[in-house]
Amino acid sequence: MITALTAAFTQRFHTSPAALVRAPGRVNLIGEHTDYNHGFVLPMAIDRAVWIALRPRPDRQVHLHSLDFDQSTTFSLDALNERTGWVGYVQGVAWALLNAGFELNGWEGVMAGNVPMGAGLSSSAATELAVARAFVLVSDLPWNPAQMARLAQNAENQWVGVHCGIMDQLISAAGVAGHALFIDTRDLSTEAVPLPPNARIAVLYSDASRSLAGSAYNQRRAQCEEAVRLLQQAMPGVQALRDVSSQQLEAHRHLLPPTIYHRVRHVVRENERVLRSLLAMRSHDTNTLGQLMLASHASLRDDYEVSSHELDLLVELAVNAGALGARLTGAGFGGCAIALCRAKDAETIAQDVMEEYNRRTGLNGYAFVTTASDGAGVVRPPHNRRH
Ligand code: GLA
């Protein structure tokens, strides 16, 4: 990727890039639909990313070519106006940085990635963080991962108009190779937790549409907010569902309509599962982690109702093939499931599951075994590397 990108840059701008930046996609091991409830998540950055080869410009223009879309964009930092498509993410990040008071320089570059797009692996967060890394580099600003994640989230929420939480941006900004990142989304504190050395994560792509994801995601968020309002009648200190325990929920169940009760039950128990997963990972207890992942999937399917026939099938096939645990990852309604596998079985499980899945559904799902990578960073072009 680095070589191809460097070559494309050189062909386009007739000189070598001054730098390369990269930001990864993610999977979430556990802690789904908890981030916008101020709760806990446990994602890891994957070994697939978005890269940008670039050099600074002396003016306030950005000239960027996307190899993946085979499209170019040129805009001035003084006239941001595109909110859709890949250019919307690029301009959104510029807007968020400017809005936060940063002085930005222009730059020109070529961008490419290998995070599958529209598959629920956060290719948009990877794009945002790569662009943020580029701006910070050419503008000589300090790189603060949590702050940049928050600004990228602002770009998504306020510029592009997607009401996501902070998880995808923060893991793309702050991932640690070989580790998952426990994140408390209330104060953005993190703890890097080593992945068990004998375990691997297989990513299972369902090839099923995520068309419902946007509207249903917003509806779930609204239901959680409604639940907070209702629970505050009895517990005025509750700011978010993060502040509610399983026991408190059961004690105040009568305050909630049945559907809302089930949504809350997912969030409350999922937060508890994340904390138990953290303990399991610290003690290399992969069996318990696997069981917690399965419980998370069941809860997303039955209480939060964001799974799909295809994702349920992937989880079932993964368990039958010998995975220690499996669950949908990300918002749901399509996209990907992940399977926690013993290292020696991971490739076989990935292959067996997809063969059977594609045979049964007629879809073109695919799988890959991934490792945990570092978050957004600066990569030098090969010929500039100092030995
Ligand atoms: C999407 C959002 C995240 C998070 C997950 C669900 O990936 O971007 O903020 O809410 O869904 O856990």
Side-chain angles (χ1 to χ4, degrees):
M1 184 61 79
I2 292 179
T3 316
L5 209 55
T6 306
F9 183 98
T10 308
Q11 192 188 14
R12 188 161 283 267
F13 299 107
H14 312 293
T15 170
S16 352
L20 262 115
V21 294
R22 114 181 217 295
R26 65 98 185 89
V27 292
N28 185 17
L29 296 187
I30 196 160
E32 221 64 87
H33 292 277
T34 48
D35 63 350
Y36 52 83
N37 291 301
H38 298 188
F40 308 117
V41 292
L42 194 53
M44 67 179 228
I46 57 175
D47 54 1
R48 298 198 172 210
V50 170
W51 284 263
I52 303 174
L54 72 147
R55 67 166 177 175
R57 287 179 58 92
D59 55 20
R60 285 170 58 80
Q61 297 261 319
V62 174
H63 294 193
L64 179 59
H65 180 75
S66 160
L67 289 180
D68 299 324
F69 292 96
D70 194 21
Q71 284 173 2
S72 299
T73 182
T74 297
F75 61 88
S76 159
L77 290 171
D78 301 311
L80 302 172
N81 52 17
E82 180 56 65
R83 291 172 189 256
T84 62
W86 67 275
V87 180
Y89 291 113
V90 177
Q91 290 203 8
V93 169
W95 169 81
L97 286 161
L98 290 170
N99 196 41
F102 289 111
E103 302 252 339
L104 299 185
N105 276 346
W107 49 276
E108 54 203 9
V110 178
M111 174 165 80
N114 60 2
V115 188
M117 283 185 250
L121 298 174
S122 295
S123 61
S124 46
T127 304
E128 290 155 14
L129 268 301
V131 169
R133 197 69 198 82
F135 273 118
V136 164
L137 183 71
V138 301
S139 311
D140 213 5
L141 300 169
W143 177 254
N144 174 333
Q147 181 188 35
M148 290 302 143
R150 188 60 89 192
L151 292 177
Q153 185 200 12
N154 290 350
E156 224 20 273
N157 292 173
Q158 296 167 41
W159 184 264
V160 180
V162 175
H163 298 285
C164 61
I166 187 79
M167 171 172 70
D168 307 343
Q169 287 76 18
L170 188 50
I171 186 61
S172 183
V176 180
H179 294 67
L181 205 61
F182 170 76
I183 303 171
D184 180 338
T185 65
R186 175 160 271 166
D187 62 8
L188 300 193
S189 58
T190 60
E191 175 188 331
V193 204
L195 288 165
N198 55 351
R200 293 282 181 282
I201 299 295
V203 181
L204 314 168
Y205 173 56
S206 68
D207 185 34
S209 149
R210 289 166 71 235
S211 52
L212 250 180
S215 55
Y217 185 89
N218 291 342
Q219 189 208 37
R220 296 300 183 283
R221 278 196 81 141
Q223 288 172 329
C224 291
E225 283 158 23
E226 172 68 8
V228 169
R229 275 191 294 276
L230 294 170
L231 289 168
Q232 278 171 343
Q233 297 167 27
M235 296 187 288
V238 168
Q239 299 292 311
L241 293 183
R242 145 75 176 274
D243 302 316
V244 181
S245 70
S246 284
Q247 278 151 336
Q248 287 170 324
L249 173 62
E250 293 312 317
H252 299 294
R253 183 177 179 158
H254 59 281
L255 294 173
L256 305 175
T259 305
I260 304 264
Y261 165 74
H262 282 100
R263 304 294 189 247
V264 179
R265 190 165 74 170
H266 165 73
V267 174
V268 166
R269 291 188 176 175
E270 185 79 348
N271 275 327
E272 293 167 357
R273 278 189 288 271
V274 178
L275 295 176
R276 287 165 63 200
S277 300
L278 181 61
L279 295 180
M281 282 184 72
R282 283 191 192 134
S283 56
H284 296 257
D285 182 354
T286 20
N287 287 324
T288 299
L289 180 61
Q291 290 305 313
L292 289 164
M293 288 170 69
L294 288 169
S296 167
H297 184 79
S299 173
L300 288 159
R301 182 190 61 210
D302 302 334
D303 274 351
Y304 218 63
E305 296 184 283
V306 293
S307 189
S308 65
H309 166 67
E310 289 83 5
L311 292 168
D312 293 345
L313 180 60
L314 284 171
V315 168
E316 185 195 319
L317 293 174
V319 173
N320 292 347
L324 298 167
R327 56 183 291 283
L328 71 82
T329 195
F333 296 106
C336 291
I338 51 168
L340 176 71
C341 309
R342 288 182 196 87
K344 65 178 176 41
D345 304 334
E347 290 292 349
T348 322
I349 290 175
Q351 213 176 319
D352 289 356
V353 167
M354 288 337 284
E355 225 166 81
E356 182 64 9
Y357 175 82
N358 287 341
R359 195 184 64 75
R360 284 210 212 171
T361 59
L363 293 165
N364 290 313
Y366 57 81
F368 58 93
V369 176
T370 191
T371 52
S373 82
D374 278 327
V378 179
V379 191
R380 290 262 138 213
H383 62 271
N384 279 2
R385 214 174 261 159
R386 298 209 169 81
H387 294 282

